[in-house]
């Protein structure tokens, strides 16, 4: 908890230091699509792989493409830890010119699932080590900016029927904070608030769809992005164990880049 507390204190200091300058907020419209896969290979292990595509102006322009691969160790049916790596291609625009830069990433997470009445809650703490390619005069360089990002997500799945194939209500909020030598004015990275539905298609395939508000602080500290996002995430969870125990399958947490 100490690193998280330190990040929180730094975020307060950062907000205070940039509060004297009027914020500049850029509003954008996004469409975010992904396929998230969790392959259960044993009682203790799963392999995870997902792909994300986000476009600005909903579908008109590129925003990013992201691939991630990792493994999950199931300590209990309701608690797991995991880690892996990913690569992101980020689109940068200057007028009609488009430039893609690279980001390499490692991550570790701990995830807890529990219930409050018929409401299913999930909490996830994720730590990411990120190497983002620097751009000078709108040209990519061979230099990378390093940062560590801390992410905490709380999500709720609220059923409206005992029938598992009737859509349920899905709500989630995630706070992202970061530290690093180049992170001076934006220790607060972003917040993601999602509301929509979760639909089970088959026992191993489901999706959620809805609206997500992303509020992100940029490196300058006084510039922000407000992204109104339509989100469609698919989840595929095949189970390769020879003998499955009833009640041990748990839907993976909605994930983002």
């Amino acid at each position: 908890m100490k690193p998280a507390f330190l990040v929180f204190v730094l975020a307060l200091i950062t907000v205070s230091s940039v509060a004297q300058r009027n914020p500049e907020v850029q509003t954008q419209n996004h469409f975010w699509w992904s396929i998230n896969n969790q392959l259960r290979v044993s009682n203790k292990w799963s392999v995870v792989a997902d792909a994300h595509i986000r476009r600005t102006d909903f579908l008109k322009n590129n925003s990013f493409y992201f691939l991630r691969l990792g493994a999950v160790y199931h300590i209990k049916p309701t608690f797991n830890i995991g880690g892996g790596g990913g690569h992101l291609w980020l689109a940068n625009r200057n007028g009609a010119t488009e430039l893609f830069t690279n980001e390499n990433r490692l991550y570790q997470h701990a995830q807890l699932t529990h219930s409050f009445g018929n409401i299913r809650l999930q909490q996830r703490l994720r730590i990411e080590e990120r190497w983002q390619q620097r751009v000078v005069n709108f040209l990519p360089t061979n230099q990378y900016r390093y940062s560590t990002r801390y992410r905490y997500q709380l999500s709720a799945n609220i059923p409206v029927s005992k029938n598992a194939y009737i859509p349920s209500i899905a709500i989630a909020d995630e706070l992202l904070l970061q530290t690093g030598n180049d992170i001076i004015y934006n220790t607060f990275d972003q917040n993601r608030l999602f509301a929509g539905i979760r639909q089970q298609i088959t026992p191993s395939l489901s999706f959620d769809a809805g609206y997500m508000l992303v509020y992100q602080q940029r490196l300058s500290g006084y510039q922000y992005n407000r992204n109104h996002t339509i989100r469609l995430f698919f989840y595929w969870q095949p189970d390769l164990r020879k003998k499955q125990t009833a009640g041990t399958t748990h839907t993976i947490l909605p994930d983002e880049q």
Side-chain angles (χ1 to χ4, degrees), residues 78 111-124 153-158 171 250 253:
T78 58
Q111 180 175 298
L112 175 66
T113 303
H114 50 101
S115 297
F116 183 75
N118 66 338
I119 300 174
R120 185 164 167 267
L121 301 175
Q122 287 185 324
Q123 298 184 72
R124 185 189 69 199
Q153 185 182 69
L154 174 64
S155 70
N157 188 65
I158 307 171
I171 302 173
H250 292 272
L253 190 67

Side-chain angles (χ1 to χ4, degrees), residues 48-82:
V48 295
D50 51 66
H52 294 255
I53 298 174
R54 193 172 77 184
R55 299 185 66 84
T56 61
D57 296 324
F58 291 120
L59 293 171
K60 182 179 178 181
N61 298 313
N62 294 307
S63 178
F64 67 70
Y65 298 88
F66 182 54
L67 297 176
R68 178 165 38 215
L69 181 66
V72 173
Y73 181 71
H74 301 268
I75 298 175
K76 295 181 178 180
T78 58
F79 181 66
N80 67 68
I81 59 175

Side-chain angles (χ1 to χ4, degrees), residues 188-241:
F188 166 75
D189 177 43
Q190 58 186 283
N191 190 82
R192 299 168 175 172
L193 179 63
F194 172 78
I197 63 167
R198 167 64 66 90
Q199 174 66 60
Q200 198 74 32
I201 302 173
T202 70
S204 61
L205 181 65
S206 64
F207 71 86
D208 64 40
Y211 167 78
M212 183 166 66
L213 174 63
V214 180
Y215 195 74
Q216 182 175 23
Q217 187 178 29
R218 300 175 66 180
L219 283 171
S220 64
Y222 66 90
Q223 295 172 308
Y224 295 84
N225 291 330
R226 182 194 292 119
N227 299 331
H228 299 291
T229 306
I230 300 300
R231 200 183 88 173
L232 177 61
F233 282 12
F234 288 90
Y235 306 93
W236 185 48
Q237 298 178 272
D239 194 332
L240 299 185
R241 292 175 293 178

Side-chain angles (χ1 to χ4, degrees), residues 165-182:
Y165 292 94
I166 297 296
S168 59
I169 299 171
I171 302 173
D173 188 66
E174 184 173 27
L175 174 66
L176 297 86
L177 306 174
Q178 59 186 350
T179 59
N181 292 335
D182 295 300

Side-chain angles (χ1 to χ4, degrees), residues 117-142:
N118 66 338
I119 300 174
R120 185 164 167 267
L121 301 175
Q122 287 185 324
Q123 298 184 72
R124 185 189 69 199
L125 176 64
R126 171 169 286 172
I127 300 175
E128 296 173 326
E129 297 79 34
R130 307 168 72 200
W131 291 265
Q132 297 167 296
Q133 190 174 18
R134 295 179 184 271
V135 176
V136 177
N137 297 326
F138 205 64
L139 292 174
T141 70
N142 293 324

